[in-house]
Amino acid sequence: MKIAIPTNDGLTLSSTFGQARGFLILSVELGEIIQEEMRWNKLSDILCSPDGLLDPIKDCEVIMTKNVGPSMTKHIAAQNKEIILTGETFITNAYVHFLENRYRQEANTCCCP
């Protein structure tokens, strides 16, 4: 699985998805990061269309972000990508919480009647 994380510096999550300078791509297998790759956005692609912003992450299944607007959410959903919202600032913390299933809705609800 590939996880795309919008960032301006490779260490922290960008405060807004659409204004990120690029994406840190984490390739994950069995809970282990096997590869990290930084993909920078081209301004011309971003200004072209919302799909231009998504082009660098077309091979990713998951997008972990702090904030994404409703219009971009529709574009992301149309490409069958899962959006995980996080309040974390540091990418490392967000990834650890991802591994612990803290972002899964069913992981945060009680199954008792």
Side-chain angles (χ1 to χ4, degrees):
M1 162 183 24
K2 288 189 179 181
I3 303 171
I5 303 171
T7 183
N8 294 320
D9 59 10
L11 299 173
T12 59
L13 282 98
S14 174
S15 59
T16 55
F17 179 85
Q19 295 177 354
R21 290 183 51 221
F23 296 94
L24 178 64
I25 309 300
L26 303 177
S27 296
V28 178
E29 287 184 12
L30 301 172
E32 301 271 334
I33 299 172
I34 60 169
Q35 183 181 7
E36 289 185 24
E37 176 187 359
M38 194 63 216
R39 297 180 187 170
W40 298 108
N41 290 327
K42 296 178 196 167
L43 183 58
S44 59
D45 290 342
I46 295 170
L47 296 176
C48 179
S49 72
D51 292 329
L53 179 63
L54 297 177
D55 191 50
I57 59 172
K58 60 185 167 195
D59 61 334
C60 298
E61 295 88 14
V62 175
I63 298 171
M64 187 179 301
T65 184
K66 289 180 87 165
N67 186 10
V68 62
S71 175
M72 184 56 73
T73 298
K74 289 179 186 177
H75 286 288
I76 292 169
Q79 293 191 10
N80 297 319
K81 297 183 187 313
E82 179 182 1
I83 298 172
I84 296 176
L85 295 175
T86 180
E88 291 294 330
T89 298
F90 293 100
I91 291 171
T92 304
N93 293 346
Y95 179 70
V96 168
H97 290 169
F98 174 77
L99 287 179
E100 295 172 347
N101 279 329
R102 291 190 190 182
Y103 301 121
R104 305 279 184 209
Q105 186 64 32
E106 60 273 13
N108 297 318
T109 59
C110 179
C111 55
C112 303

